[in-house]
């Protein structure tokens, strides 16, 4: 006679995570801004239509529209954010530069996650190589990474440029450089989690029916270490974008006339007294992107923590 | 504790040797030739002799051994000679910079004061700002002060230092004209006006680095305070009728400081690394700028020595952090 209430539709854990994530206002604003800036750099150039490298010497050194309107200096709607000393459009350069910066950030982040997860899972799962891999991680952590990265940029630049062409070569160099210098924290966190998950009953059960190690890792371990990996993915994206712009800012990044946000900032520093907007816009792009990614990471950490979920 | 310290010290030696080897081998792959700048009219055999004079003719392991010997034996004996007037070095060859032909350590000694002033001061200021902010935010969690602190510290470690620096220069030296945009290292402080000038030129670089450091440390301080504020001993202390001041500032703070102190120690070498960028922005001629110049000029002994010094800093401060942790927290036993 008892009537059972209809079961709620089956929801995966990720829907709960998303519900919790939506509660975090900063993270939602961050996600919105990240989507906006991604569309801005991907679709923007085709909508705006100006070539970032096209020089228009008659319209050089235009001011952005707001200073133009306020102080009556030379400006035009054709270049709403102004143009540089060769008449290249600042807005088009921002979009083009953003494409490179974001591409470097995402690829380097994915590379460092892959290395970090691989090292972490191997060290956590196979006791024999644990000591070796973790000593190696400690060693890499005690290397002075920024100086070494700078040295690497200078040393391998010409070789890679000759092998893959100027832009692709430097792209590979920067991505690999950032990737191999930033995987250590992911590896440590993943190893710690793998060590605890490895002792759970379901892993024992899987082992007892003869599941090979490879399948235990992909089927049982990796899905359960996804949360720390996702959180370190956001941190990795933020730091990769900052490192790339720092390298460009120190003059050891991409070649000139190949804009990234850091490069645009670096090129404009000499004339920032008369044209402050040329440093402020790329700097704002970097800072806001990194800020939004960090807020997403914050929200993700809260959403993925089961103790906080559902409060 | 003592055995642990000794063991860690012994372990640090192979670590440092390995790091030195990695740096040396990376530099060894360098295609950059320090002889590239000399005129073409110099005959090849003279060029070869010049290479010999720079010590480039021998195989890499000989040069690596020589560098180690110079770094760990020759240079310290020169310092001892300079300090006590002895003659231990007996004119042995020091590590010589390719660019300036003078001993690398002399140049480093010239540059260290500027870096220490700016970087050290900014770290001190950052820590002094971060601790009260962290304590107050944790005590009044979710208050407007805490929310504001969270937001500012989020900005502090999201905005790269080269942008904060440039922004400050645009606002305070270009538009307002309050502070100079370039750090004048030739300034000699001998009276009040030059002291004021020194203070004014330090404000911006110190602030940029301090904001970045304070952002991170205040987060740690807050998290650590929050961990401890929920503990039973805090309830006991309050139940005994102790004043809130005493509970927070002497019971909770002392326990919360344990992880924070190690974080502060671990942060010191990173600050030196981060200073590379800030020094470039404000044109401070410290160690960071020296490294950048040496990298651009293919000055391999200089790059090698500076990078290794950064590595030594990292290893030493990791060691200090671990030992401090054991000293401060009696629950931690390494043996």
């Amino acid at each position: 006679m008892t009537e059972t209430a209809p079961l709620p539709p089956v929801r995966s854990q990720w829907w709960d995570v998303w519900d919790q994530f939506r509660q975090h206002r900063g993270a939602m604003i961050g996600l919105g801004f990240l989507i906006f800036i991604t569309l801005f750099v991907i679709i923007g150039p085709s909508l705006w239509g100006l070539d970032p490298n096209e020089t228009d010497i008659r319209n050089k050194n235009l001011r952005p529209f707001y200073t133009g309107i306020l102080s009556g200096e030379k400006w035009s709607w054709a270049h709403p954010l102004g143009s540089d000393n060769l008449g290249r459009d600042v807005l088009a350069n921002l979009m083009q530069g953003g494409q490179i910066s974001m591409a470097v950030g995402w690829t380097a982040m994915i590379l460092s996650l892959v290395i970090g997860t691989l090292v972490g899972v191997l060290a956590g799962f196979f006791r024999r190589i644990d000591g070796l891999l973790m000593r190696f991680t400690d060693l890499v952590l005690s290397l002075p990474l920024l100086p070494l990265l700078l040295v690497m940029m200078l040393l391998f630049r010409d070789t890679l440029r000759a092998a893959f062409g100027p832009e692709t070569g430097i792209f590979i160099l920067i991505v690999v450089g950032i990737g191999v210098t930033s995987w250590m924290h992911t590896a440590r966190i993943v190893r710690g989690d793998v060590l605890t998950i490895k002792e759970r009953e379901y892993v024992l059960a899987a082992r007892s029916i003869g599941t090979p190690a490879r399948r235990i890792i992909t089927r049982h371990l990796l899905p359960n270490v996804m949360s720390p990996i996702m959180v370190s993915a956001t941190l990795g994206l933020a730091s990769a974008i900052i490192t790339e712009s720092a390298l460009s800012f120190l003059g050891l990044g991409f070649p000139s006339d190949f804009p990234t946000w850091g490069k645009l900032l670096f090129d404009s520093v000499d004339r920032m007294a008369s044209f402050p907007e040329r440093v402020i816009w790329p700097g704002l792009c970097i800072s806001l992107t990194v800020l939004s990614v960090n807020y997403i990471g914050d929200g993700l950490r809260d959403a993925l923590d089961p103790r906080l979920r559902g409060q | 504790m003592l055995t642990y310290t000794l063991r860690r010290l012994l372990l640090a030696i192979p670590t440092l040797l390995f790091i030195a080897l990695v740096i040396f081998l990376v530099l060894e792959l360098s295609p950059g030739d320090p002889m590239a700048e000399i005129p073409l009219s110099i005959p090849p055999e003279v060029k070869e002799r010049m290479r010999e004079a720079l010590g480039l003719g021998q195989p890499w392991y000989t040069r690596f051994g020589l560098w180690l010997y110079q770094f760990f034996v020759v240079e310290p004996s020169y310092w001892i000679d300079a300090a006590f007037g002895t003659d231990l070095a007996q004119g042995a060859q020091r590590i010589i910079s390719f660019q300036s032909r003078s001993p690398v350590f002399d140049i480093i000694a010239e540059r260290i004061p500027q870096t220490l002033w700016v970087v050290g001061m900014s770290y001190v200021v950052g820590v002094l700002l971060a601790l009260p902010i962290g304590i107050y935010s944790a005590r009044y969690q979710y208050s407007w002060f805490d929310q504001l602190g969270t937001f500012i510290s989020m900005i502090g470690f999201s905005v790269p230092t080269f942008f904060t620096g440039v922004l400050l220069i645009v606002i305070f030296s270009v538009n307002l004209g309050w502070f100079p945009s370039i750090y004048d290292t030739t300034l000699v402080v001998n009276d009040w006006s030059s002291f004021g000038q020194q203070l004014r030129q330090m404000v911006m670089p110190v602030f940029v680095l301090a904001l970045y450091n304070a952002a991170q440390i205040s987060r740690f301080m807050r998290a650590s305070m929050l961990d401890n504020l929920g503990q039973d001993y805090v309830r006991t202390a309050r139940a005994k009728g102790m004043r809130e001041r005493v509970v927070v500032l002497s019971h909770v703070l002392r326990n919360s400081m344990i992880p924070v102190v190690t974080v502060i120690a671990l942060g010191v070498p990173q600050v030196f690394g981060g200073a590379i960028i800030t020094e470039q922005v404000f044109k401070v001629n410290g160690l960071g700028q020296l490294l950048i110049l040496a990298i651009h000029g293919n000055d391999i002994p200089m790059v090698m020595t500076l990078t290794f010094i950064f590595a030594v800093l990292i290893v030493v401060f990791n060691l200090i952090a671990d030992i401090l942790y054991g000293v401060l927290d009696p629950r931690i036993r390494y043996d």
Side-chain angles (χ1 to χ4, degrees):
Chain A
M1 295 307 267
T2 51
E3 271 186 40
T4 49
L7 283 171
V10 178
R11 282 158 59 94
S12 83
Q13 165 207 354
W14 297 107
W15 280 108
D16 293 343
V17 170
W18 169 242
D19 282 346
Q20 181 66 30
F21 184 79
R22 276 195 311 194
Q23 307 288 317
H24 198 296
R25 195 148 39 102
M28 285 310 280
I29 297 175
L31 187 63
F33 183 79
L34 188 68
I35 293 173
F36 165 73
I37 198 92
T38 313
L39 292 180
F40 174 77
V41 300
I42 293 177
I43 305 181
S46 52
L47 288 182
W48 185 232
L50 275 182
D51 180 9
N53 281 322
E54 189 188 277
T55 55
D56 178 4
I57 213 72
R58 284 213 194 91
N59 285 323
K60 66 173 183 175
N61 290 335
L62 290 183
R63 302 305 301 270
F65 66 93
Y66 48 90
T67 38
I69 292 173
L70 287 179
S71 59
E73 285 175 77
K74 204 170 78 162
W75 68 287
S76 118
W77 278 121
H79 305 289
L81 292 184
S83 58
D84 68 3
N85 53 345
L86 293 173
R88 290 176 295 198
D89 185 49
V90 169
L91 183 59
N93 265 300
L94 273 183
M95 293 173 181
Q96 177 73 25
Q99 262 182 23
I100 314 293
S101 291
M102 295 286 262
V104 168
W106 280 95
T107 342
M109 178 268 277
I110 290 170
L111 181 68
S112 102
L113 276 192
V114 169
I115 302 177
T117 312
L118 192 72
V119 172
V121 167
L122 288 182
F125 196 76
F126 300 106
R127 178 158 296 176
R128 253 174 308 149
I129 49 176
D130 183 22
L132 187 72
L133 282 178
M134 282 299 114
R135 284 297 81 69
F136 178 66
T137 311
D138 289 348
L139 272 181
V140 180
L141 267 177
S142 38
L143 287 172
L145 294 176
L146 186 62
L148 269 188
L149 204 55
L150 293 176
V151 172
M152 272 162 65
M153 286 304 128
L154 196 80
L155 297 188
F156 300 109
R157 156 179 302 210
D158 296 329
T159 335
L160 280 171
R161 208 184 267 175
F164 297 99
E167 277 117 42
T168 329
I170 301 284
F171 184 84
I172 294 175
L173 179 59
I174 291 187
V175 164
V176 172
I178 297 176
V180 299
T181 50
S182 60
W183 53 271
M184 291 80 70
H185 291 286
T186 318
R188 281 186 162 182
I189 296 168
V190 169
R191 170 183 172 267
D193 274 26
V194 168
L195 278 180
T196 57
I197 293 172
K198 202 176 69 171
E199 304 300 326
R200 298 270 169 84
E201 281 82 2
Y202 58 83
V203 178
L204 186 67
R207 208 190 288 259
S208 66
I209 58 171
T211 317
R214 178 171 44 88
R215 204 155 330 131
I216 293 182
I217 289 173
T218 50
R219 188 92 184 85
H220 299 292
L221 292 182
L222 278 183
N224 284 306
V225 292
M226 270 320 275
S227 344
I229 292 180
M230 282 173 68
V231 174
S232 54
T234 55
L235 293 179
L237 178 58
S239 71
I241 292 176
I242 287 197
T243 313
E244 185 274 321
S245 1
L247 288 179
S248 300
F249 183 79
L250 293 173
L252 287 160
F254 282 96
S256 52
D257 72 90
F258 193 68
T260 72
W261 285 335
K263 185 88 196 153
L264 289 174
L265 210 164
F266 172 64
D267 288 343
S268 321
V269 161
D270 292 335
R271 307 178 46 143
M272 67 184 163
S274 1
F275 302 100
E277 67 273 3
R278 288 188 207 156
V279 287
I280 287 174
W281 282 106
L284 265 185
C285 284
I286 301 170
S287 312
L288 288 178
T289 310
V290 173
L291 189 65
S292 63
V293 172
N294 276 338
Y295 262 111
I296 293 173
D298 220 33
L300 212 54
R301 188 168 16 215
D302 289 356
L304 289 170
D305 189 344
R307 283 169 300 178
L308 291 174
R309 204 181 298 153
Q311 279 178 4
Chain B
M1 201 63 226
L2 187 68
T3 45
Y4 175 76
T5 314
L6 284 177
R7 207 173 65 225
R8 283 295 304 268
L9 275 175
L10 284 179
L11 199 68
I13 295 170
T15 312
L16 281 175
L17 283 180
F18 178 81
I19 293 172
L21 184 66
V22 169
I23 303 172
F24 190 86
L25 287 183
V26 167
L27 286 172
E28 191 58 26
L29 295 169
S30 157
D33 187 359
M35 296 273 96
E37 300 284 309
I38 63 168
L40 287 170
S41 54
I42 290 176
E45 62 269 20
V46 179
K47 218 171 180 174
E48 200 49 46
R49 286 230 300 283
M50 285 167 75
R51 292 183 70 86
E52 296 278 320
L54 285 178
L56 287 173
Q58 288 125 347
W60 68 267
Y61 45 85
T62 320
R63 277 179 290 134
F64 181 59
L66 183 67
W67 181 85
L68 284 180
Y69 176 73
Q70 286 174 335
F71 189 93
F72 287 107
V73 179
V74 177
E75 292 294 339
S77 53
Y78 270 101
W79 304 337
I80 295 171
D81 290 353
F84 303 109
T86 52
D87 187 27
L88 286 173
Q90 295 172 339
Q93 177 69 47
R94 305 179 66 178
I95 305 175
I96 298 288
S97 154
F98 282 172
Q99 271 180 318
S100 62
R101 310 299 299 144
S102 54
V104 164
F105 273 93
D106 287 357
I107 308 175
I108 292 178
E110 281 168 18
R111 301 296 188 102
I112 275 185
Q114 287 88 295
T115 296
L116 275 188
W117 259 111
V118 175
V119 173
M121 188 63 90
S122 70
Y123 205 54
V124 171
V125 171
V127 170
L128 288 182
L129 278 177
L131 297 187
I133 292 176
I135 296 169
Y136 197 85
S137 313
R139 176 64 191 79
Y140 301 98
Q141 195 188 4
Y142 303 132
S143 64
W144 68 267
F145 183 88
D146 183 31
Q147 308 272 4
L148 187 73
T150 311
F151 182 65
I152 291 179
S153 70
M154 208 64 167
I155 290 180
F157 56 72
S158 296
V159 181
T161 45
F162 53 85
F163 183 51
T164 4
V166 164
L167 203 61
L168 287 185
I169 291 180
V170 168
I171 296 174
F172 291 106
S173 50
V174 176
N175 286 339
L176 297 174
W178 290 356
F179 306 116
S181 72
I182 293 176
Y183 188 94
D184 177 13
T185 32
T186 55
L187 184 73
V188 182
V189 180
N190 47 15
D191 53 7
W192 283 111
S193 81
S194 63
F195 180 70
Q197 216 176 331
Q198 172 73 13
L199 274 188
R200 266 211 310 285
Q201 70 180 1
M202 276 176 61
V203 167
M204 287 202 296
V206 166
F207 177 78
V208 166
L209 276 173
L211 176 72
Y212 184 72
N213 299 324
Q216 302 199 327
I217 298 169
S218 71
R219 291 292 86 189
F220 273 108
M221 190 71 223
R222 175 177 178 271
S224 174
M225 287 289 286
L226 282 177
D227 273 351
N228 275 295
L229 276 169
Q231 300 275 327
D232 288 340
Y233 73 86
V234 180
R235 201 184 311 132
T236 314
R238 285 192 180 133
K240 283 195 299 188
M242 293 181 118
R243 270 172 299 138
E244 190 62 21
R245 250 185 100 78
V246 182
V247 173
V248 173
L249 288 186
S250 77
H251 286 62
V252 179
L253 180 61
R254 282 171 68 171
N255 280 303
S256 317
M257 279 307 285
I258 297 169
V260 176
V261 165
T262 61
V263 166
I264 291 174
L266 284 179
V268 173
Q270 285 170 9
V271 173
F272 275 88
I276 295 176
I277 293 164
T278 315
E279 284 183 1
Q280 203 69 8
V281 174
F282 293 99
K283 315 247 182 331
V284 183
N285 65 344
L287 291 182
Q289 205 205 27
L290 185 63
L291 179 71
I292 301 279
L293 283 179
I295 287 178
H296 280 298
N298 277 321
D299 188 350
I300 290 168
M302 182 65 92
V303 177
M304 173 81 204
T305 311
L306 273 178
T307 318
F308 189 66
I309 290 176
F310 284 126
V312 171
L313 281 177
I314 296 177
V315 171
V316 166
F317 277 97
N318 276 345
L319 187 65
I320 292 178
D322 279 354
I323 293 172
L324 267 182
Y325 203 59
V327 170
L328 293 177
D329 192 343
R331 287 167 299 185
I332 306 283
R333 277 289 153 260
Y334 291 116
D335 305 321

